[in-house]
Amino acid sequence: MKTSVSYKIFSVFNYTLLSLMVILCALPLWHILMISLSAPGPAAANEVGLWPIGFMIDNYTYALSQQGLVQPFLTSVQRLLLGVTLNMLMVIMAAYPLSKESSAFPGKTAYSWIFIFVMLFNGGLIPNYMLIKDLGMIDTIWALVLPGAVSVFYMIIMLNFFRQLPKELEEAAFIDGASHIRTLISIYLPLSIPSIATLTLFASVGHWNSWFDGLIYMRDPNRYPLTTYMQSLLSQLQRMTSSRDAERLAFTSRRGLMMCYIVITLLPIMCMYPFLQKYVKSGLVLGSVKG
């Protein structure tokens, strides 16, 4: 009886604490959305709280009517598809051999330390830019996806998940004449869907939110990814001085437009999360239980 009461008390405390954390995380996003849906005056005067004042969608009408928004969005989608595909391909191909015992893969320790070294140390911004320039990748989508194609952090997570899979499955496949590639495709990958889905979500968020590399490697603003383009718009909003800018602010507000741009940037990746959420719970405890 005492144990049951203690468990109920813990459950109530746990759910209360988690609910408060969810509210603390969601409130800033909700506040941003409300500002973007409010009239120019209250938004500019910082009077908007948890509900819009003078509800209007003029900020979104104006933002979505800009022709320059289409190409950055397509660039971000292209980066997302190419970047995540390359990330997962490289991570899986590197994690599979490194998950084997040293007797099955001589030199595994040396390769592992090389990966860890490059994760901790890099050449820096200027050498990276010079390398991308010398390879002729400036103003191309490859400058955004190739430098980060191999994520050692993701590889370590996938490696630990591969290690927890029962070795008897691999041995049975080898007895039946399967090769390593066949074993990886037919056994390891189907059993690793939770980890793959979790890392896919992490990689997607990373590629979608990255803006600095687009600013560095893309000389043509029309080739910016969406987040870089939005960042440039935010910078322009902060220095509006022309008569055309004043005319624009007659039916919108600088602060409302800024919040609107933030919402537009966040929305696509937020829509992606529900489809992968069911795998995240099991994927986040990778390697915690030895199979």
Side-chain angles (χ1 to χ4, degrees):
M1 177 63 70
K2 185 176 180 181
T3 303
S4 178
V5 173
S6 301
Y7 180 77
K8 289 181 179 179
I9 294 175
F10 171 77
S11 298
V12 171
F13 175 79
N14 192 30
Y15 281 113
T16 303
L17 180 62
L18 291 176
S19 298
L20 290 175
M21 292 177 64
V22 170
I23 293 173
L24 289 175
C25 292
L27 275 180
L29 297 177
W30 180 259
H31 182 59
I32 289 172
L33 177 62
M34 293 303 101
I35 294 175
S36 68
L37 294 173
S38 296
N46 198 21
E47 297 176 353
V48 182
L50 297 180
W51 300 104
I53 301 177
F55 180 84
M56 55 176 285
I57 59 172
D58 289 3
N59 291 324
Y60 290 92
T61 303
Y62 175 81
L64 296 176
S65 65
Q66 302 301 302
Q67 296 180 353
L69 194 65
V70 177
Q71 185 55 48
F73 178 78
L74 294 178
T75 301
S76 286
V77 172
Q78 184 183 14
R79 173 181 184 167
L80 190 68
L81 296 176
L82 285 175
V84 173
T85 301
L86 277 174
N87 282 150
M88 300 313 301
L89 180 63
M90 296 296 181
V91 163
I92 291 171
M93 296 302 292
Y96 176 73
L98 292 177
S99 66
K100 306 302 177 186
E101 300 292 339
S102 298
S103 58
F105 180 26
K108 178 190 109 171
T109 302
Y111 283 107
S112 299
W113 278 108
I114 290 174
F115 277 111
I116 293 175
F117 180 84
V118 299
M119 179 178 68
L120 300 176
F121 304 98
N122 62 72
L125 178 61
I126 294 177
N128 285 337
Y129 178 83
M130 294 174 62
L131 177 62
I132 296 298
K133 181 179 179 181
D134 291 341
L135 292 175
M137 294 194 298
I138 296 295
D139 264 343
T140 67
I141 191 65
W142 301 110
L144 304 178
V145 299
L146 285 183
V150 181
S151 172
V152 181
F153 174 69
Y154 297 163
M155 185 202 71
I156 293 174
I157 294 178
M158 183 64 71
L159 181 154
N160 288 330
F161 191 88
F162 283 163
R163 282 179 177 173
Q164 80 174 22
L165 297 178
K167 295 182 180 179
E168 290 78 9
L169 295 175
E170 183 182 47
E171 293 172 354
F174 289 157
I175 292 175
D176 289 338
S179 63
H180 281 288
I181 295 296
R182 183 67 177 178
T183 302
L184 174 63
I185 295 175
S186 300
I187 296 179
Y188 276 73
L189 295 187
L191 295 175
S192 303
I193 290 178
S195 63
I196 293 174
T198 302
L199 294 182
T200 297
L201 180 62
F202 289 169
S204 300
V205 172
H207 279 289
W208 189 267
N209 289 342
S210 181
W211 65 273
F212 186 67
D213 52 357
L215 189 65
I216 296 297
Y217 299 133
M218 296 296 180
R219 296 173 179 171
D220 184 3
N222 293 324
R223 300 185 64 85
Y224 281 169
L226 183 62
T227 48
T228 306
Y229 181 74
M230 288 298 183
Q231 191 276 338
S232 66
L233 290 180
L234 291 176
S235 299
Q236 293 175 15
L237 284 174
Q238 293 175 357
R239 54 177 186 269
M240 280 183 168
T241 54
S242 66
S243 58
R244 183 179 178 184
D245 294 333
E247 183 180 338
R248 179 194 307 178
L249 293 177
F251 60 91
T252 61
S253 68
R254 180 184 288 110
R255 194 160 183 261
L257 273 176
M258 291 173 66
M259 300 302 122
C260 174
Y261 289 149
I262 294 174
V263 172
I264 292 175
T265 305
L266 289 175
L267 191 60
I269 203 67
M270 292 179 65
C271 292
M272 179 182 177
Y273 178 77
F275 297 99
L276 298 176
Q277 187 270 340
K278 63 179 181 179
Y279 298 110
V280 172
K281 181 179 178 181
S282 55
L284 288 176
V285 293
L286 304 178
S288 62
V289 179
K290 184 67 176 177

